[in-house]
Amino acid sequence: MMRVARLHQIGGPLLIEEMPVPEPRPTDVVVAVKACGVVPNLKNVLTKWPEWFPYLPLPKLPAIFGLDPAGVVTAVGGQVLSIRPGDRVYVNPARGCGSCRACRCGEIVNCRGFTFQGYFGRGPLSQPVFEAYPYGGLAEYVTAPQNALVKLPDNVSFEAAARFGYLGTAYAAIRKSGAGPGSTMLINGIGGTLGLCAALVGLTIGVTRILGTGRTQALLDRVKALAPGRIEVFAVGGRPVHEFMMEATGGEGVDAVIDTLPPGAPPFAMLDALRGLRRGGRAVNIGGVAETLPLSVHWLMGMNIQLIGNCWFNTGEGQALAAMAGAGTLDLSCLQHRRIPLADINERLSDLQDANAGFNNFVVIP
Ligand SMILES: [Zn+2]
């Protein structure tokens, strides 16, 4: 048997219960969870999601949540040839239906049934996916498809790997932005969980200059200290952000903007950063700004600017992150792991939303 935390009704507590340890299907594995990342948004999902986002369905209740598990493979299905019990892995929770055109092309995030195992789905096709993979990371064991596993080098901790959801999303976004050696990139919201991950990945892949915005000077100073010669920070609230961006680039504007602002952020905060792009620049949104932007598409056209949405990342990008973290080029030592025992999850969920500074890495240890 295994211990799990299960939600029985929206707004209710997660109940700590016992369930049988799952058996792997032929192309699946079973992973003993050693750490599961807990996103600040989890409380919203458990309490308000059906009301806020009726088009983003939750699994039928009772259900086990938990988005970013990392652990040790304990059993493999009969058709799993390259993963063995004992392998250390991060489980990419991105699931698709498996057989639509997008899935057959390897583009799981473009599947109409795209679903986060242990979190929420994106449409009516999600419930069958939840039924195929019903175990979220707030459990001692999860099942996962073999092609969703990121193998972890021995020197990458499970706690650090539980942050791969954010790191991977940031990595995919920076790749789409084209930023790299010689580039200047602005991260809108650099002190948050996603923004800090974008800074760490940007430093790793050679983005030469990283500008970052935030609300708290002390937090911004901490981010700048990661690479004082490459990071410049700007506290919002006084001058417009685009003026800072233009000054920092001699009036040219930045090559790329990665927007990581949280759901409550005002649309003008995003528009302000877009105005600091150079001609031909690219902006990639991975943040949660929910309001509609009054954006001039005529300006986009005339400035030759691209505004791109990015949803999650693929397992290959996760594997690249694991390799970079193992080699030490992706330095995750600034993360402060906040370990939460499974039994304490209900009391701790509220803290997570307040403590949204990116250096805190909240993980549940089942
Ligand atoms: Zn599909």
Side-chain angles (χ1 to χ4, degrees):
M1 298 295 280
M2 66 169 180
R3 279 198 323 155
V4 305
R6 277 209 299 182
L7 186 75
H8 285 253
Q9 63 177 58
I10 295 298
L14 294 166
L15 300 183
I16 307 297
E17 299 175 321
E18 297 240 311
M19 286 179 69
V21 175
E23 297 282 332
R25 298 182 306 175
T27 57
D28 289 347
V29 306
V30 176
V31 176
V33 180
K34 301 298 181 188
C36 179
V38 187
V39 298
N41 193 41
L42 180 62
K43 183 159 188 190
N44 294 331
V45 169
L46 300 180
T47 56
K48 298 169 185 146
W49 212 245
E51 180 192 333
W52 284 6
F53 300 107
Y55 50 92
L56 299 177
L58 299 184
K60 276 184 191 153
L61 302 181
I64 309 170
F65 289 81
L67 182 62
D68 283 301
V72 177
V73 174
T74 57
V76 303
Q79 293 170 25
V80 177
L81 303 180
S82 299
I83 296 280
R84 288 275 164 267
D87 283 348
R88 303 171 75 255
V89 295
Y90 163 76
V91 177
N92 180 354
R95 301 282 166 269
C97 74
S99 52
C100 72
R101 186 161 69 99
C103 285
R104 285 182 285 108
C105 292
E107 297 171 0
I108 290 172
V109 292
N110 295 334
C111 172
R112 286 191 301 134
F114 178 69
T115 299
F116 288 116
Q117 180 176 345
Y119 209 34
F120 62 83
R122 300 207 74 90
L125 296 180
S126 287
Q127 184 54 33
V129 179
F130 283 127
E131 285 165 19
Y133 295 101
Y135 304 98
L138 301 182
E140 288 180 300
Y141 294 88
V142 298
T143 55
Q146 58 181 338
N147 60 10
L149 303 175
V150 172
K151 276 197 184 184
L152 299 173
D154 287 342
N155 60 347
V156 176
S157 71
F158 297 119
E159 289 88 345
R163 194 65 174 266
F164 272 25
Y166 286 100
L167 289 161
T169 299
Y171 182 41
I174 295 172
R175 292 183 77 196
K176 281 184 182 169
S177 81
S183 299
T184 298
M185 173 175 89
L186 175 99
I187 300 170
N188 213 12
I190 200 169
T193 315
L194 197 47
L196 180 70
C197 285
L200 296 174
V201 172
L203 291 171
T204 297
I205 67 170
V207 178
T208 307
R209 292 178 74 211
I210 296 175
L211 313 182
T213 68
R215 283 175 298 183
T216 315
Q217 189 64 49
L219 180 58
L220 290 171
D221 291 343
R222 232 176 127 189
V223 176
K224 181 175 172 64
L226 294 170
R230 291 170 66 191
I231 297 178
E232 288 167 57
V233 291
F234 178 80
V236 298
R239 287 189 309 140
V241 170
H242 68 270
E243 286 185 15
F244 156 69
M245 296 164 75
M246 287 298 171
E247 277 173 23
T249 54
E252 184 185 357
V254 306
D255 300 295
V257 167
I258 306 294
D259 199 288
T260 72
L261 295 177
F268 74 79
M270 189 169 176
L271 286 174
D272 190 4
L274 294 180
R275 285 183 65 193
L277 276 166
R278 69 163 167 85
R279 291 186 60 80
R282 285 187 199 169
V284 181
N285 179 40
I286 47 177
V289 170
E291 279 186 55
T292 301
L293 265 63
L295 178 66
S296 165
V297 291
H298 188 267
W299 173 80
L300 274 187
M301 179 275 291
M303 287 287 286
N304 201 29
I305 277 173
Q306 298 176 58
L307 173 59
I308 303 166
N310 177 72
C311 178
W312 208 243
F313 62 102
N314 64 47
T315 300
E317 287 163 330
Q319 193 62 63
L321 283 176
M324 292 187 283
T329 55
L330 174 59
D331 183 357
L332 301 176
S333 61
C334 69
L335 297 179
Q336 295 176 308
H337 305 311
R338 311 289 188 197
R339 297 175 182 84
I340 304 170
L342 187 63
D344 295 352
I345 182 67
N346 289 300
E347 301 96 89
R348 299 295 300 280
L349 269 180
S350 304
D351 311 347
L352 306 183
Q353 288 184 309
D354 303 331
N356 59 3
F359 290 97
N360 284 327
N361 184 37
F362 291 97
V363 294
V364 165
I365 310 294

